Amino acid sequence: MTYQTFLELLIAEEIAHRAETRLRRAVRKAQFPFLRTIDDFTFTFQSALRRQMLGTYLGLELVTEGRNAIFSGPSGTGKTHLAIAIAYRALQHGYEVRFVSADLLIGELSHAVQLGTLDATLAPYLHPHVLVLDEIGYLSHAADAANVLYRLVNDRYLRGKPILVTTNKPLAAWGQVLHDGDLAEAILDRLLERGVHFEMRGRSYRTRHLKDRPADSPDE
């Protein structure tokens, strides 16, 4: 090996090491509850979605074009997995990501309104290039949920920054979930102007090992 080749190898290894370190640091900062990639997702199990349907959500366009996405469907159909996988791809492209559960976020913003610190509390959720808002409707939200969530969505909408949302509720039920039909409609209007609704269907992947009981099996 020549000195030049050896030096080039050392530089390449150092660059790769720094990139890996940056990515690990970015994953910790994103606060994912777990890490999933798009290659981990079993598209053959979730028949309502194909990888090709995600298209440019896996590319730079997610951020450069400010594209939102809503993943809705029953528990266990892969909504959070896909949202994290798309966000992780954005991290690999060098963008900053933040993950937060809807219940935690709404509770935090609702409390900030009472303290008069809403602007400061919103800042960490407005700064990242991509925000993952997980599980809208899984738990009961605060009475002013629509107000504080509208403020977040609208501010990111005006800045052209994408939000990836997961929910187990039909979009038509968001008015009831957020306690304000008009604001819920305004939130969805902003999310879907530059976004797509992916409706997940089928059985839970978590219970895929369970077999259906025969129709004539006796009750226990």
Side-chain angles (χ1 to χ4, degrees):
M1 184 182 296
T2 65
Y3 287 118
Q4 180 178 350
T5 302
F6 179 67
L7 181 60
E8 290 174 350
L9 179 61
L10 286 179
I11 292 174
E13 289 182 349
E14 177 63 20
I15 292 174
H17 174 71
R18 291 188 180 187
E20 184 179 351
T21 301
R22 183 205 67 80
L23 186 57
R24 286 200 301 265
R25 188 182 302 116
V27 168
R28 289 196 299 271
K29 189 175 181 180
Q31 300 184 26
F32 295 135
F34 49 80
L35 184 59
R36 295 288 185 272
T37 69
I38 197 65
D39 294 325
D40 297 332
F41 191 79
T42 307
F43 285 94
T44 55
F45 187 85
Q46 176 49 253
S47 59
L49 188 69
R50 291 290 177 266
R51 180 167 179 155
Q52 294 87 336
M53 295 170 64
L54 297 176
T56 52
Y57 280 88
L58 301 175
L60 300 176
E61 294 87 349
L62 171 69
V63 174
T64 59
E65 298 182 8
R67 297 185 176 182
N68 304 307
I70 301 176
F71 296 94
S72 71
S75 178
T77 50
K79 303 181 298 297
T80 300
H81 182 145
L82 285 173
I84 289 177
I86 292 172
Y88 180 67
R89 185 62 67 88
L91 286 180
Q92 292 177 306
H93 291 312
Y95 295 115
E96 186 174 339
V97 172
R98 177 69 184 272
F99 178 100
V100 64
S101 73
D103 186 62
L104 177 63
L105 173 70
I106 291 171
E108 186 178 348
L109 297 182
S110 180
H111 184 60
V113 170
Q114 299 174 18
L115 298 178
T117 59
L118 181 59
D119 288 341
T121 306
L122 271 172
Y125 302 108
L126 299 178
H127 173 73
H129 298 99
V130 180
L131 178 68
V132 179
L133 185 58
D134 194 42
E135 298 186 341
I136 287 183
Y138 275 76
L139 300 174
S140 298
H141 300 312
D144 62 345
N147 293 287
V148 295
L149 188 58
Y150 172 81
R151 174 68 185 276
L152 169 73
V153 170
N154 189 59
D155 282 5
R156 289 190 64 89
Y157 166 78
L158 294 175
R159 300 177 187 207
K161 291 188 172 184
I163 305 178
L164 305 174
V165 180
T166 73
T167 178
N168 69 331
K169 295 293 192 293
L171 302 192
W174 276 30
Q176 182 178 1
V177 169
L178 300 176
H179 315 297
D180 189 315
D182 292 336
L183 278 180
E185 184 177 349
I187 289 169
L188 287 170
D189 183 61
R190 283 156 177 76
L191 288 174
L192 294 176
E193 179 182 337
R194 295 190 297 264
V196 176
H197 174 210
F198 296 102
E199 189 172 3
M200 316 291 282
R201 297 188 297 272
R203 295 176 54 183
S204 169
Y205 189 75
R206 300 186 188 95
T207 58
R208 64 192 181 281
H209 61 286
L210 300 177
K211 296 182 181 297
D212 293 329
R213 295 174 59 192
D216 58 350
S217 63
D219 294 332
E220 297 180 359

